[in-house]
Amino acid sequence: MANFDVIIIGGGPGGYVCAIRCAQLGLNVALAEGRDNLGGTCLNVGCIPSKALLHATHALHDAQMNFEKMGLMGAAPKVDWAKMQSYKDDVVGQNTKGIEFLLKKNKVTWIKGWAEVPAAGKVKVGGTVYQAKHIVIATGSEPTSLPNVEIDEKIIMTSTGALALGGIPKKLVVIGAGVIGLEMGSIYARLGSEVVVVEYLDHITAGMDKDLAKTFQKILTKQGLKFVLGAAVQSVLVVKKRAEVIYKLNADGQVTVLDADAVLVATGRKPYVAGLGLEALGVALLPRGQVQTDVHFKTSVAGLYAIGDAIAGPMLAHKAEEEGMALAEILAGKAGHVNYDAIPSVVYSTPEVASVGKTEEQLNAEGRAYKVGRFSFMGNGRAKAVFQGEGFVKILADKSSDRILGAHIIGPMAGDLIHEICVAMEFGASAQDLALTCHAHPTYSEAVREAALACGDGAIHA
Ligand code: NAI
C-alpha cells in the first residue's frame, strides 16, 4: 500500500497550493483529482475563463466607446464567438498545464481519479487504497439551483454553461445579483445581449458596502444592464426552446413572467463533499453543509483536515490558497495562520470593485466610531486620461487611533489597488501611514493615498 505523509483531495487553488507548500516543507505528498485537468473550478470553469471573456469583451467595449475619442478611427471589431471561445480555452489550457508542471517540479504525486475516505488515514481512488498520516479535503463547491428550476446548461445554465454557450443570446435573464451574475451579465451585455438581472434583495452584491454597491449598480445600469430588485424567482420554464422566468415582487406579491433566450442561475454555491464517505466516517458538518473545522483546519475525525469552499467562510480562491498554505505549515510543525480580517474580494467588472475589511454597515452595527476618507477617480489624472474617472476609493479608519479598518474601491484596477491597503492592514497601519507614503505620479494608486489623506487634514485634488 502506497504511503504518504499527506494526501490532498481536490486539485483547485486550495488543494494544489497546499500540496506544493507541503512538498516544499519536506513532506511526501499526493494529490487526488478526478478531473482531466488540475486547477479545480477556478481554473477550469470559474475565475480564469471568465477573466478571459471579461478581458476580450472589455477590449471590444473600449473600441466601441473610446477609440474614436482618442483619434483611433474605423469600425470597432466584429465578434467571432467561436474564436473568442477558443482563446478562452487556450488560456485555461495554459494555466492548468502550468499547475501540472508545478506539481511535477515539486514531486507531488497526482493520483488521477475521484477519491473517497473509507477509513481514517486511508484514501481510495479506483480500486487502490493509499495510506496517509494526514488527509486534506479540498473539494471545493458546486452551484446551487432553485426549486422548480432545472438546469440543462443550454437554456437554463449555471456559470459553467454560461462560459461556453453555443451563441450569444439576444436576451439573457440572470437570477442573482452576486459576483457571478454581474461578471457574466457584464460579458453578455458587452456582446450585445439584453441583460436583465433579477435579485431577491433590494440591493445588488449582498454584503458589499452599500455606498459601493449603489455606485456599482448605477454604473452597470449605464452600461445597459437592467435590474429587477426585491423579486424572488419562483420558477423557470422552457417553452419551445425559450425560457420563461416567473418572479414575484416582495413588496406587493405581483407576479411577472420574463421571456428569455437563456437564463443564468447565479444564486450561490454550496460545498462539494458528496461521494467522499464523510457521513460513514462520522465527520461533523455545519448546518449549511460545510465541513466543520477548528482554527487549525482539523475536522471531527483525527488526521482529517478541510480547507477552502468546503469549509465556512467566503468562497474565494485566494481564501482557499491562504488556508492551504497555513495548513501545510501546521502539518510541517510550523505556525500556519490566516488573517481573515484582511482577505480582499474583487468583482472583475469594468470598472473593477474591490473591498477589504469592514463595511460602514458592519462598523455601525458594532457601534464603532470611525472616520471616512473618500476620493473620487475624477480627481485622478491617470484615470481621467483613460476614460475611467467613475468611482472612488473609500478608506474607513478608527476615529481615535486612525488604524485602517476597511477599504472599498470602485474604479480602474481596483482589484490590484486594494492590496496596498491589505498590506497596510496586515501591518496594523494607520491612514496617516498610507498618506505619508510617496506614491508615483501619475498612477491610479494616488487615489488610494488621497483617500488616506482625506481621513486626516484633507485630500489635495478633491
Ligand atoms: P452570491 O451568493 O454571491 O449571490 C447570489 C444572489 O442570488 C444573492 O444576492 C441572492 O439574494 C440571490 N438570490 C437567491 N435566490 C434568489 C431567487 N430565488 N430570486 C432572486 N434572487 C435570488 O452567489 P454567486 O454570484 O452565485 O457566487 C457564488 C460564490 O462564488 C460566491 O461566494 C462568490 O463570492 C464566489 N465567486 C467569486 C468571484 C470573485 O471573487 N470574483 C467570482 C465568481 C464567484
Side-chain angles (χ1 to χ4, degrees):
M1 192 187 296
N3 232 315
F4 294 93
D5 293 324
V6 188
I7 297 180
I8 293 151
I9 305 176
Y16 82 72
V17 167
C18 185
I20 291 173
R21 195 49 150 191
C22 283
Q24 287 172 337
L25 296 174
L27 299 170
N28 178 20
V29 194
L31 181 145
E33 171 56 61
R35 277 182 207 262
D36 292 339
N37 294 307
L38 294 163
T41 298
C42 177
L43 268 74
N44 288 283
V45 287
C47 332
I48 297 298
S50 62
K51 257 79 276 170
L53 293 183
L54 280 160
H55 175 69
T57 57
H58 167 63
L60 172 69
H61 193 248
D62 210 18
Q64 289 165 342
M65 307 303 290
N66 299 324
F67 274 20
E68 213 177 298
K69 295 181 205 158
M70 294 186 282
L72 299 171
M73 309 311 283
K78 284 204 173 62
V79 176
D80 181 333
W81 180 237
K83 201 151 185 192
M84 198 181 281
Q85 285 285 321
S86 79
Y87 148 68
K88 176 207 74 183
D89 294 340
D90 277 355
V91 170
V92 168
Q94 284 170 31
N95 279 278
T96 56
K97 286 282 165 276
I99 306 302
E100 202 172 329
F101 164 79
L102 288 176
L103 289 195
K104 268 193 200 134
K105 182 180 150 197
N106 286 285
K107 303 197 172 42
V108 174
T109 305
W110 177 4
I111 304 171
K112 294 186 182 178
W114 300 104
E116 55 187 296
V117 187
K122 289 189 171 45
V123 172
K124 190 173 165 202
V125 181
T128 312
V129 177
Y130 303 85
Q131 199 150 327
K133 234 186 284 170
H134 311 290
I135 298 170
V136 181
I137 298 166
T139 46
S141 60
E142 60 179 342
T144 55
S145 187
L146 294 170
N148 308 321
V149 178
E150 211 164 296
I151 305 285
D152 59 22
E153 296 295 10
K154 286 194 175 73
I155 297 177
I156 306 177
M157 329 161 273
T158 65
S159 51
T160 305
L163 287 164
L165 271 183
I168 300 163
K170 262 208 180 117
K171 182 165 176 185
L172 172 71
V173 170
V174 175
I175 309 174
V179 185
I180 293 183
L182 299 180
E183 287 186 354
M184 295 309 305
S186 293
I187 289 170
Y188 283 102
R190 288 178 204 154
L191 288 167
S193 303
E194 180 191 347
V195 177
V196 182
V197 182
V198 184
E199 164 59 48
Y200 178 78
L201 301 172
D202 63 0
H203 57 273
I204 67 169
T205 47
M208 186 184 276
D209 187 277
K210 287 260 176 68
D211 189 14
L212 201 65
K214 247 166 78 188
T215 304
F216 189 25
Q217 191 188 334
K218 263 194 212 148
I219 291 174
L220 290 174
T221 304
K222 265 209 309 212
Q223 292 176 2
L225 277 82
K226 294 187 182 123
F227 291 93
V228 181
L229 302 181
V233 170
Q234 315 256 283
S235 62
V236 183
L237 305 173
V238 176
V239 182
K240 292 186 187 152
K241 297 203 172 163
R242 289 182 65 75
E244 286 181 358
V245 179
I246 297 133
Y247 70 79
K248 191 170 161 186
L249 287 180
N250 297 336
D252 58 10
Q254 192 191 319
V255 173
T256 303
V257 181
L258 273 180
D259 168 77
D261 300 286
V263 177
L264 166 61
V265 183
T267 50
R269 298 180 63 86
K270 59 178 182 209
Y272 178 62
V273 290
L276 288 171
L278 300 189
E279 224 167 83
L281 263 181
V283 177
L285 300 182
L286 295 169
R288 296 177 71 182
Q290 305 108 321
V291 177
Q292 185 184 309
T293 51
D294 69 6
V295 286
H296 294 124
F297 312 104
K298 281 184 186 158
T299 71
S300 58
V301 170
L304 186 68
Y305 304 80
I307 57 171
D309 282 10
I311 70 171
M315 289 182 160
L316 298 170
H318 46 280
K319 175 259 195 187
E321 289 182 31
E322 283 309 289
E323 292 178 340
M325 295 263 285
L327 176 56
E329 302 208 344
I330 291 167
L331 297 180
K334 297 173 158 239
H337 171 72
V338 176
N339 177 5
Y340 290 98
D341 291 335
I343 293 184
S345 61
V346 181
V347 189
Y348 297 89
S349 44
T350 303
E352 290 182 349
V353 186
S355 288
V356 65
K358 305 272 186 187
T359 62
E360 286 205 59
E361 292 72 36
Q362 284 171 325
L363 291 173
N364 287 328
E366 288 171 14
R368 206 142 169 194
Y370 65 95
K371 49 190 174 172
V372 181
R374 208 172 189 280
F375 185 76
S376 161
F377 278 102
M378 282 311 279
N380 178 275
R382 178 73 181 276
K384 271 196 353 216
V386 298
F387 313 106
Q388 296 220 43
E390 276 179 318
F392 58 86
V393 178
K394 181 167 84 172
I395 294 178
L396 307 174
D398 186 90
K399 190 145 198 171
S400 55
S401 71
D402 194 38
R403 189 180 175 138
I404 300 170
L405 303 172
H408 307 279
I409 309 179
I410 179 163
M413 305 291 284
D416 286 277
L417 298 183
I418 199 74
H419 294 100
E420 170 178 4
I421 303 166
C422 296
V423 173
M425 287 176 71
E426 281 285 354
F427 280 80
S430 63
Q432 195 183 27
D433 289 325
L434 268 189
L436 293 179
T437 304
C438 181
H439 285 62
H441 177 74
T443 57
Y444 305 131
S445 297
E446 287 176 290
V448 174
R449 185 199 190 183
E450 291 270 25
L453 281 165
C455 286
D457 295 331
I460 301 295
H461 295 90

